[in-house]
Amino acid sequence: MTKDAGAMLTIGEVSDRFGIAQHILRYWEKRFPQLRPLKRSGNRRYYRPDDVALVERIDRLLNHDGYTVKGVQKLLAGKGDEGAAPDAAPAPDPAPALTPAMRSELRQLRDELAAALAD
């Protein structure tokens, strides 16, 4: 049975929908004042559609677009760098992309470190 689009979701349902652990959602409530699900008896959280959309946005910015928690806080507060719109993509990473040779060398170093730690 699926809920209507406008129905409130529990923290477990939001967690399952986005693959985000419940403790992370509770942490985000502390870090992002805009995220305020309703709390009913026993401190059960109920996420409204706007809360769910905000969770999706925070997830995208943190886990897909490469923003830090502070960066997302600034965006949500309307204080983005250089007047960036809240949905603007982050600036590209100034570090060059890893070449196949660099990847190979890093893998070799990783394996050597793992072997040294295993001794």
Side-chain angles (χ1 to χ4, degrees):
M1 179 170 98
T2 60
K3 291 188 173 184
D4 291 333
M8 291 192 281
L9 302 176
T10 65
I11 192 169
E13 292 168 327
V14 174
S15 174
D16 290 343
R17 179 178 285 189
F18 297 106
I20 301 167
Q22 292 181 24
H23 71 275
I24 298 295
L25 292 169
R26 289 188 292 273
Y27 170 76
W28 286 358
E29 289 174 27
K30 293 176 185 173
R31 291 291 178 206
F32 305 107
Q34 300 86 349
L35 183 58
R36 289 288 168 238
L38 293 175
K39 288 186 184 175
R40 297 279 167 91
S41 63
N43 273 339
R44 252 180 96 85
R45 290 164 168 81
Y46 290 95
Y47 288 78
R48 297 167 287 230
D50 288 345
D51 297 319
V52 174
L54 184 56
V55 166
E56 182 175 24
R57 184 173 179 205
I58 292 169
D59 177 49
R60 178 177 39 83
L61 291 169
L62 287 174
N63 299 320
H64 304 285
D65 293 348
Y67 278 89
T68 62
V69 170
K70 283 191 176 193
V72 175
Q73 287 171 333
K74 286 181 182 180
L75 283 175
L76 294 178
K79 301 175 187 172
D81 292 347
E82 302 174 22
D87 286 326
D93 186 4
L98 293 177
T99 65
M102 293 166 80
R103 288 181 191 276
S104 176
E105 186 176 348
L106 287 171
R107 283 189 186 104
Q108 181 181 356
L109 286 170
R110 178 196 61 201
D111 293 344
E112 289 175 12
L113 287 171
L117 291 172
D119 290 338

